[in-house]
Amino acid sequence: MFNAVIAIHGGAGAISRSAMSAEKEQRYRQALHDIVTQGQQILAQGGSALDAVTEAVRLLEECPLFNAGKGAVFTHQGTHELDACVMDGRTLDVGAVAGVTRVRNPVLAARAVLEQSPHALFIGEGAEQFAKAHGLEPVAPDYFSTPERWEQLQRALNSDTAILDHDGAAHSDDPLDPDHKFGTVGAVALDLEGNLAAATSTGGMTNKQAGRVGDSPLPGAGCYASNDSVAVSCTGTGEVFMRTLAAYDVAAQMRYAGRSLQQATVKVIHDSVLELGGSGGLIAVDRAGNVALPFNSEGMYRGVARVGEAADVAIYRES
């Protein structure tokens, strides 16, 4: 029996304590606690790491506080395009979708690709058709919209920039400055049988050009899992995480350089990503059940729950 554990993240970014309300912070903490606890329960009942991360990310997609599924950000054209990836560390099987607009839970579409297709990644209309053919619930494109995300797009359009997530701190009581927050969500887990899995999902960047794809649905960039080393889910400047193959680099450093989980994750986030001007963080669990949650921004929504122990959630950098 392995030291089963699940970790989740809901994005990383800059702190704006002055704009934060205690009520809003508590809403985030409660959501993180409830979701990571449900993943923990799956593991405690003997469920697979793959099932635990899939369900945790599905729940994050259902929560409009986070930029995935309901509450996803808008493109420059005023639409939503969502991406997701799931990877099974036991088999190295992977499934991913990108640019979907009518799939309620992109992570479930990614899981269907993993289990039901010889292909690894579907995009756009092909992904939509695949999801529908496998019984996944379609929604109208406006299902994902929230007033807060629309206001964020309007500010981004006025400034002519792409914003990584949410509203500006001057206009919001989000604990993280939402105009400098990376809105990917993800989960990693080790189950009682010693299997690892990872899942990542995102609505992308506010005011991104339609058709833009970041690191989240790309195996090795924003999501990776292998039983011989580690499971990783990233959140941050997608283009930099793609250029550094951030998720796989953690595994490679552990395999080939003999680095510990902590050493490898810190080197990726605080050296490789930072050197290219990237910001954000990642969550990772290794085959021994060690957990790492490094980030080079000022905060990251995160939670960890080991089987048999109380869940722990956090937003800010620990003092």
Side-chain angles (χ1 to χ4, degrees):
M1 300 284 281
F2 285 77
N3 186 15
V5 61
I6 183 169
I8 65 173
H9 71 77
I15 296 294
S16 180
R17 292 177 183 270
S18 62
M20 176 194 68
S21 71
E23 179 183 3
K24 188 68 172 286
E25 178 181 347
Q26 181 55 34
R27 286 175 62 198
Y28 275 101
R29 290 184 179 274
Q30 191 64 54
L32 290 167
H33 181 274
D34 292 348
I35 291 169
V36 79
T37 299
Q38 292 196 51
Q40 176 193 46
Q41 290 173 351
I42 291 172
L43 296 175
Q45 295 166 2
S48 69
L50 191 61
D51 284 345
V53 298
T54 302
E55 177 63 7
V57 170
R58 186 192 71 81
L59 292 170
L60 287 161
E61 290 175 343
E62 291 288 311
C63 181
L65 291 172
F66 304 104
N67 173 23
K70 181 69 172 179
V73 299
F74 286 88
T75 67
H76 178 79
Q77 289 76 12
T79 59
H80 299 283
E81 294 184 348
L82 298 89
D83 311 323
C85 181
V86 178
M87 188 160 183
D88 185 349
R90 181 179 64 87
T91 61
L92 298 186
D93 287 337
V94 66
V97 295
V100 297
T101 62
R102 300 187 302 275
V103 177
R104 175 170 177 148
N105 294 111
V107 72
L108 297 185
R111 177 71 180 266
V113 173
L114 183 153
E115 293 181 330
Q116 305 294 333
S117 174
H119 307 310
L121 171 63
F122 282 86
I123 64 168
E125 186 61 32
E128 303 278 355
Q129 292 175 1
F130 181 88
K132 183 177 180 180
H134 288 84
L136 296 182
E137 179 181 0
V139 292
D142 64 0
Y143 163 80
F144 305 106
S145 306
T146 63
E148 293 80 10
R149 300 303 194 199
W150 181 253
E151 292 171 8
Q152 181 188 355
L153 175 63
Q154 302 315 303
R155 287 196 300 280
L157 289 171
N158 290 335
S159 64
D160 196 30
T161 59
I163 296 175
L164 289 161
D165 191 23
H166 287 284
D167 304 319
H171 309 272
S172 169
D173 63 356
D174 194 324
L176 298 188
D177 176 351
D179 278 353
H180 297 86
K181 175 168 166 281
F182 312 106
T184 306
V185 305
V188 294
L190 173 72
D191 63 30
L192 292 171
E193 300 299 320
N195 296 309
L196 291 165
T200 308
S201 182
T202 189
M205 299 192 306
T206 291
N207 201 28
K208 68 181 181 179
Q209 287 297 314
R212 178 264 184 187
V213 177
D215 65 303
S216 297
L218 302 182
C223 187
Y224 186 76
S226 176
N227 274 13
D228 70 2
S229 53
V230 67
V232 182
S233 176
C234 301
T235 173
T237 314
E239 282 70 13
V240 172
F241 280 71
M242 292 160 71
R243 291 161 64 195
T244 57
L245 286 176
Y248 177 73
D249 195 26
V250 174
Q253 291 193 39
M254 294 175 70
R255 285 193 191 118
Y256 308 130
R259 292 192 171 103
S260 68
L261 176 69
Q262 191 65 30
Q263 290 169 334
T265 56
V266 166
K267 186 165 181 60
V268 168
I269 293 300
H270 292 283
D271 292 341
S272 302
V273 169
L274 205 57
E275 286 170 2
L276 292 179
S279 183
L282 61 79
I283 57 173
V285 57
D286 69 14
R287 60 184 181 177
N290 299 304
V291 174
L293 309 144
F295 51 95
N296 61 34
S297 52
E298 289 136 281
M300 182 170 72
Y301 294 111
R302 58 202 188 274
V304 178
R306 293 187 181 279
V307 169
E309 299 181 12
D312 180 55
V313 302
I315 298 174
Y316 308 110
R317 188 177 298 282
E318 296 177 357
S319 56

